[in-house]
Amino acid sequence: MSNYLGEIRRWLLGSGMSSSARSRPPLPEHRQERQKRQDQAPPPKEGVRRRPQRLSSLLSARSVAGEVFLLQLAVVVLLVAAAVVALVVQGRSAAMLDARNRTLAAAGTFAESPGIVAAVRSPHPSAVLQPSAQAAAKIAGVDGINVYTLDGVTLAHSDPRQIGKHVVGPFAKAAAGRSFTETFAGSLGQSVVSVVPVKAADGKVVAIVSSPVTVENVQNMLNGQLPVVLGSAAAVLALSAGGTALVSRRLLRRTHGLGPAEMTRMYEHHDAVLHAVREGVLIVGAGGRLLLANDEARRLLDLPADAEGLQVTDLGLEEGIAEPIASGRSVTDEVHMAADRLLAVNIRPTAPYGSAGTVVTLRDTTELRALSGRAEVARERLKLLYDAGVQVGTTLDVERTAEELAEVAVPRFADIVTVDLLDPVLRGEEPPELNTEMRRTAAVGLHGEHPLYPVGKLVRFVPTSPMAAGLAGGRAVLEADLRTAQLWRTQDPENSLRILDRGIHSLIAVPLRARGVVLGMAGYWRGPDSPSFDEEDVSFAEELTARAALSVDNARRYTREHTVADTLQRSLLPRRVPEQSAVEVAHRYLAAQAVGGDWFDVIPLPGARVALVVGDVVGHGLHAAATMGRLRTAVYNFSTLDLPPDELLSHLDELVAHIDTDEQEWGGITGATCLCAVYDPASGRVTAATAGHPGPALVLPDGTVTFPEVPVSPPLGLGAGLPIDTAELTLPEGSVLALFTDGLIESRDRDPDAGLAALRTALAGPSRTPEEICTAVIDAMLPARPSDDVALLVARTRRLDPERIAQWDVPPDPAAVSRVRNACARRLAEWGLEDIAFTTELILSELITNAIRYGTEPIRVRLLYDRSLVCEVSDGSSTSPHLRRAEDTDEGGRGLFLVAQFALRWGTRYTDRGKIIWSEQAVHEAGEPAAMIPEEALLAGWDDEPL
């Protein structure tokens, strides 16, 4: 048992105390210092035993060996002291007994000596007795022999001066004939005295003999023996202390200086290793003999009860695990079979911590493997949920989100994943309360021909199907074994057999539910190479589907809002370009993922002119689209007033400032830019103004691209009443104007200068139609999904044929009206417009007369023959005529009324030199009947009542 405890102690002190040592309280300072010195000392070489502890450590009571040494030393000292005391007491007692016996023998011998009676009765007894008594006392070794008469007269005494004196003593017993010994204080001090009567032949007491010995003499005798006693005691003490020191030194070496508490903890850990730990521990000696086996090792190896002390090879172990244990070589986590257990074996040498041998630890990895397998599955599930949170919902597209759910679950959770969504969800609408008709939106994991419904198919699930059951119950439905289940086959019996033939054998149907609304169903399927689903898989499938359902619902809501915003925006953009002859137009509008506020417009103006407009409202969403619609409507309305570009933008700036003032209540501020260019095909001049917007690009007929300098004013709403500058250019016929928003040239990875350079390259090149230019620019400048919406307007300019332009200067003379009218009639005849000549002469007469009467010089008349006939009368006055209804008694006031009746449109346009009154008449093509004969129309202006 001592070997057993020693081996486990060495194992614990060596490699097995690491865990328990951490739980021990801090060592005392002297132990810490000693441990520090031991740690700093170089490790002993293998095979060399540790040097024994110094003897000075025995004097420390902090170790078990020191306590045992001091305790044994104290016991020896106490025993030796007790022995010395006992010897002294015994010697004193023996000395006193010897003194009693000696005195009694001396007194008795003298009292029985021959002639003593005669001497007592002689006339001079002292002379006879005194020498004999002194001689006898000397021989007997007593202090003296005294003889007294019965009446107490001293006959002989050790002190001759006492002879003849009368003494009083305890002689009554002796006088009565009895001998006795007593201790009393006499003339010699404290003494032991024996008294014997002297009897005559007749038995009569005739005298008394006493023999005293003083206690001092007895003590002197004892003191003579005390050195021997003390010397013997010291020798015994030295011998006992030496033996105790040798034993304690061996104990100190065995316990390594451990204290009592440490020894207690060591044996507690020893018991823990033997009985508590779930790891087998074997200690094998150098000869391959088993020294120690804890309970777990006995269980794992099925060791017999008497295994300790046997050779490892005699334990009946399998060769695969017995060989490494008996070999003594170091092993780390080698796996060996022991019966039906898979054990991980670790082997380490016990040296230099103990005698030569090895420590073997055994760990049952059979249970650990199953546990680690479950932990690995849990870890994979957590990682899959994390990946689903990252990979599902990367876009706001409902169909793509459903595909992402299927892709993230295959093959890490299921072999096949199908996602079926309700049709309203795909359109972004609210789903109905309960509907088993769904459209297959995603299917991942299918290869080649497969029996499952294809993507895009509208499927109506029967009530007994897992999908319908999950939809009705609002929870996942598990079909662990489709081969034995029957209800799911009612959906499509023939197709169900094909599914089973493909090896698909397990299904979990989970409702896609978000915010209390069911959006569809997710189906998780497993094939022949995967185990069946269980209840733990159902919980995970519900968690995965719930997370994906939120992304699907977010995509649905975004689809609804995006559809509303996109519908609003497209309803506010021009559906078609109005017919006009000034320019050939092509346009593109590319919406980003979020609806923006870009717009463009082509607005025909009087005088065959056309206004080209592009604008951009900052931001995205419904607010930006609604603001864009308001601004586009305002631009169109301002254009009907025939305002020049700078004035139009000034009015638009005031409108945006007013909008910002109204919308500051909810914290929104509108940011918008706009570019307006008006082109006159009669002169080939274009007038452009911009409010914070990029200027146009100009492509000359030879293909050269320039960017004309257009003064840039602040964005709309920030002008603060400042004037807006314009730029005027005269364009060759066939030139191309490209108006665009900043989304075309700016992006996250491209600055505006690089964008303009790329646009220059895309626009360069002659002999291309506006449609071809738009296509080339979009293909070269934009990715498939631009980050910002883009509006592009390309217009190829045309010039009005000079032969279709007629112009006359009119002097301020009423007589000149007829000459100009006749000249206009001749020009109309040349153009083949005789059918509208009468109404044209009537309109011109009224307009020229008003100019002469109310206007100032210069007065000029111009006819433009385009898609319609335009009559323009300009003068230097800024006073504008107004249409009014003349009373019956009025002599005037009916001229503009007639103009309004016979012209399609008419109006006033102000210039920097005055104004222009214009009218527009429809031109009838050959063979096209006139709506009304001009003369009849003229007469219809008056009633039949006489004036």
Side-chain angles (χ1 to χ4, degrees):
M1 187 65 182
S2 61
N3 291 336
Y4 165 78
L5 293 178
E7 295 298 337
I8 189 63
R9 173 189 57 75
R10 283 192 291 273
W11 180 81
L12 289 172
L13 291 175
S15 60
M17 285 289 288
S18 59
S19 61
S20 61
R22 289 193 293 268
S23 64
R24 295 188 304 190
L27 297 176
E29 293 183 1
H30 77 285
R31 293 281 288 122
Q32 294 180 4
E33 290 296 330
R34 184 172 63 189
Q35 184 66 37
K36 182 177 180 182
R37 290 194 299 269
Q38 293 176 355
D39 293 342
Q40 293 176 351
K45 297 182 180 179
E46 186 174 356
V48 179
R49 301 183 60 87
R50 293 183 176 179
R51 298 179 61 187
Q53 301 285 343
R54 291 182 300 176
L55 189 59
S56 60
S57 300
L58 294 177
L59 301 178
S60 173
R62 295 182 177 88
S63 65
V64 173
E67 285 190 354
V68 171
F69 173 74
L70 294 178
L71 180 60
Q72 290 180 342
L73 186 61
V75 170
V76 169
V77 170
L78 290 176
L79 290 177
V80 171
V84 170
V85 171
L87 289 175
V88 171
V89 171
Q90 185 179 5
R92 183 174 182 180
S93 176
M96 292 296 291
L97 181 60
D98 178 71
R100 292 170 65 90
N101 294 335
R102 190 157 19 101
T103 56
L104 182 61
T109 301
F110 193 81
E112 296 292 335
S113 64
I116 184 70
V117 174
V120 171
R121 291 177 178 177
S122 67
H124 301 282
S126 297
V128 178
L129 294 174
Q130 179 68 22
S132 299
Q134 289 181 347
K138 189 174 182 181
I139 295 172
V142 296
D143 291 340
I145 295 177
N146 304 326
V147 182
Y148 301 95
T149 63
L150 294 178
D151 55 1
V153 177
T154 303
L155 299 179
H157 199 278
S158 57
D159 184 6
R161 292 173 299 178
Q162 301 295 327
I163 296 175
K165 292 183 179 180
H166 186 271
V167 297
V168 179
F171 304 133
K173 293 180 180 180
R178 291 181 297 175
S179 299
F180 65 91
T181 301
E182 289 184 354
T183 301
F184 69 97
S187 59
L188 298 178
Q190 190 75 17
S191 302
V192 177
V193 179
S194 295
V195 180
V196 178
V198 179
K199 296 179 180 181
D202 56 1
K204 182 178 179 179
V205 177
V206 294
I208 298 171
V209 178
S210 68
S211 178
V213 174
T214 62
V215 174
E216 183 179 357
N217 292 334
V218 175
Q219 187 67 34
N220 290 336
M221 294 175 58
L222 181 62
N223 290 341
Q225 299 175 357
L226 189 59
V228 177
V229 173
L230 293 179
S232 299
V236 171
L237 179 61
L239 183 61
S240 299
T244 302
L246 291 177
V247 173
S248 298
R249 184 177 182 182
R250 181 173 178 81
L251 179 61
L252 181 66
R253 185 167 58 251
R254 292 292 186 179
T255 60
H256 293 275
L258 294 177
E262 294 170 319
M263 288 292 293
T264 302
R265 282 195 297 271
M266 183 184 73
Y267 282 99
E268 289 176 351
H269 294 316
H270 160 268
D271 291 337
V273 170
L274 288 182
H275 306 292
V277 298
R278 296 291 295 170
E279 186 167 328
V281 177
L282 300 175
I283 297 181
V284 182
R289 189 177 300 276
L290 180 63
L291 302 179
L292 171 67
N294 72 342
D295 294 348
E296 183 67 7
R298 294 176 181 275
R299 184 184 73 85
L300 294 176
L301 298 177
D302 295 328
L303 296 178
D306 58 348
E308 293 176 354
L310 299 179
Q311 293 290 329
V312 173
T313 54
D314 298 335
L315 296 176
L317 301 178
E318 296 182 7
E319 183 178 357
I321 194 170
E323 187 277 329
I325 294 177
S327 66
R329 59 185 174 86
S330 295
V331 168
T332 300
D333 286 336
E334 280 192 3
V335 179
H336 297 278
M337 290 297 300
D340 58 345
R341 296 184 179 92
L342 191 64
L343 303 181
V345 180
N346 289 272
I347 303 176
R348 293 291 185 275
T350 57
Y353 306 102
S355 59
T358 57
V359 175
V360 182
T361 60
L362 307 170
R363 185 173 65 255
D364 190 353
T365 61
T366 307
E367 300 174 359
L368 181 62
R369 183 171 57 183
L371 181 61
S372 62
R374 291 194 296 270
E376 181 66 18
V377 170
R379 188 188 69 82
E380 287 295 331
R381 294 287 172 83
L382 289 176
K383 187 176 186 303
L384 180 54
L385 287 178
Y386 170 79
D387 293 342
V390 174
Q391 299 176 18
V392 178
T394 58
T395 67
L396 291 174
D397 182 81
V398 175
E399 296 183 4
R400 180 56 191 155
T401 303
E403 292 174 357
E404 290 172 343
L405 167 60
E407 290 170 355
V408 78
V410 175
R412 297 162 64 182
F413 178 65
D415 296 322
I416 302 172
V417 175
T418 59
V419 180
D420 306 303
L421 297 179
L422 297 167
D423 266 350
V425 174
L426 294 172
R427 297 191 298 267
E429 302 172 2
E430 290 290 338
E433 291 294 331
L434 184 62
N435 191 350
T436 59
E437 187 176 79
M438 303 180 191
R439 190 171 299 278
R440 179 61 50 88
T441 308
V444 175
L446 301 173
H447 304 285
E449 295 184 2
H450 57 83
L452 298 180
Y453 295 127
V455 174
K457 181 177 178 60
L458 187 63
V459 183
R460 180 181 293 277
F461 295 103
V462 298
T464 57
S465 66
M467 301 295 183
L471 185 64
R475 59 181 181 82
V477 175
L478 170 64
E479 292 289 352
D481 192 351
L482 296 175
R483 293 163 294 192
T484 59
Q486 298 297 327
L487 292 179
W488 74 279
R489 303 188 184 193
T490 58
Q491 175 70 35
D492 191 339
E494 295 182 1
N495 198 48
S496 301
L497 295 177
R498 290 194 296 269
I499 291 175
L500 294 177
D501 292 340
R502 286 289 296 267
I504 300 174
H505 61 87
S506 192
L507 165 67
I508 299 178
V510 187
L512 276 161
R513 179 186 294 272
R515 300 179 178 92
V517 177
V518 176
L519 308 174
M521 294 293 297
Y524 301 93
W525 311 74
R526 281 187 176 175
D529 298 330
S530 300
S532 299
F533 288 114
D534 54 22
E535 291 297 333
E536 292 184 1
D537 296 324
V538 173
S539 301
F540 174 77
E542 289 179 333
E543 177 68 19
L544 176 63
T545 307
R547 296 192 180 193
L550 290 176
S551 299
V552 172
D553 190 57
N554 289 338
R556 178 191 66 82
R557 290 169 175 262
Y558 172 79
T559 300
R560 180 185 60 189
E561 295 178 2
H562 185 272
T563 301
V564 171
D566 186 65
T567 302
L568 172 63
Q569 183 191 39
R570 294 192 180 278
S571 66
L572 296 176
L573 288 173
R575 298 185 179 180
R576 61 181 181 85
V577 176
E579 295 182 359
Q580 43 79 37
S581 302
V583 292
E584 179 186 359
V585 176
H587 57 85
R588 294 287 188 277
Y589 176 79
L590 276 74
Q593 187 175 6
V595 175
D598 291 11
W599 90 92
F600 66 92
D601 219 336
V602 179
I603 306 173
L605 298 177
R609 297 170 303 129
V610 65
L612 306 175
V613 183
V614 290
D616 184 7
V617 176
V618 177
H620 298 87
L622 286 174
H623 176 68
T627 303
M628 177 271 291
R630 297 171 70 177
L631 296 183
R632 178 174 178 259
T633 301
V635 169
Y636 187 85
N637 291 335
F638 291 147
S639 297
T640 60
L641 300 177
D642 209 355
L643 298 176
D646 55 339
E647 293 186 22
L648 186 148
L649 292 182
S650 296
H651 288 293
L652 203 62
D653 178 71
E654 294 177 1
L655 174 63
V656 173
H658 178 69
I659 293 174
D660 287 344
T661 301
D662 291 343
E663 294 182 352
Q664 282 178 357
E665 296 181 359
W666 60 271
I669 296 179
T670 302
T673 62
C674 185
L675 169 64
C676 180
V678 176
Y679 175 67
D680 186 356
S683 62
R685 296 186 63 82
V686 61
T687 304
T690 177
H693 200 88
L698 175 60
V699 184
L700 298 177
D702 61 357
T704 305
V705 180
T706 61
F707 295 97
E709 291 289 339
V710 179
V712 180
S713 300
L716 298 176
L718 302 177
L722 297 176
I724 296 178
D725 298 326
T726 61
E728 292 189 1
L729 299 172
T730 301
L731 305 181
E733 185 176 4
S735 299
V736 175
L737 279 175
L739 287 71
F740 51 88
T741 56
D742 57 359
L744 182 66
I745 60 174
E746 296 181 13
S747 64
R748 295 186 181 92
D749 55 353
R750 183 173 61 189
D751 57 30
D753 292 337
L756 289 176
L759 179 61
R760 183 192 300 273
T761 302
L763 289 173
S767 303
R768 287 189 298 176
T769 65
E771 283 291 339
E772 293 173 344
I773 294 176
C774 282
T775 301
V777 170
I778 295 300
D779 292 344
M781 298 290 294
L782 296 179
R785 298 179 66 87
S787 59
D788 192 8
D789 48 347
V790 175
L792 174 64
L793 183 62
V794 177
R796 183 182 297 278
T797 61
R798 296 170 179 167
R799 295 292 290 269
L800 194 60
D801 188 356
E803 296 296 329
R804 291 196 170 195
I805 301 174
Q807 182 174 306
W808 298 272
D809 290 330
V810 180
D813 182 4
V817 175
S818 61
R819 294 194 301 271
V820 174
R821 186 174 60 240
N822 293 333
C824 291
R826 289 192 297 269
R827 182 54 62 90
L828 292 176
E830 294 176 2
W831 290 343
L833 300 178
E834 292 87 351
D835 54 338
I836 61 172
F838 179 77
T839 56
T840 302
E841 292 178 14
L842 182 61
I843 292 173
L844 284 175
S845 296
E846 179 61 29
L847 296 181
I848 295 172
T849 301
N850 285 341
I852 294 174
R853 181 178 297 179
Y854 303 109
T856 59
E857 294 185 288
I859 301 172
R860 182 174 292 112
V861 175
R862 188 173 70 161
L863 298 180
L864 301 176
Y865 178 25
D866 190 28
R867 292 177 177 271
S868 62
L869 180 65
V870 179
C871 300
E872 296 180 346
V873 177
S874 62
D875 65 79
S877 172
S878 60
T879 302
S880 175
H882 296 281
L883 179 66
R884 63 186 179 88
R885 185 179 297 275
E887 299 294 336
D888 293 341
T889 58
D890 290 343
E891 295 183 0
R894 295 180 178 84
L896 289 179
F897 180 79
L898 291 176
V899 172
Q901 291 294 318
F902 291 105
L904 291 176
R905 296 183 302 163
W906 77 281
T908 303
R909 180 170 76 252
Y910 292 97
T911 65
D912 54 353
R913 297 182 180 180
K915 66 177 183 297
I916 297 175
I917 309 297
W918 58 270
S919 67
E920 184 176 336
Q921 297 170 264
V923 176
H924 301 290
E925 298 295 338
E928 205 177 286
M932 181 180 291
I933 300 175
E935 292 80 356
E936 296 177 355
L938 178 62
L939 294 176
W942 282 270
D943 54 22
D944 295 336
E945 295 183 2
L947 295 176

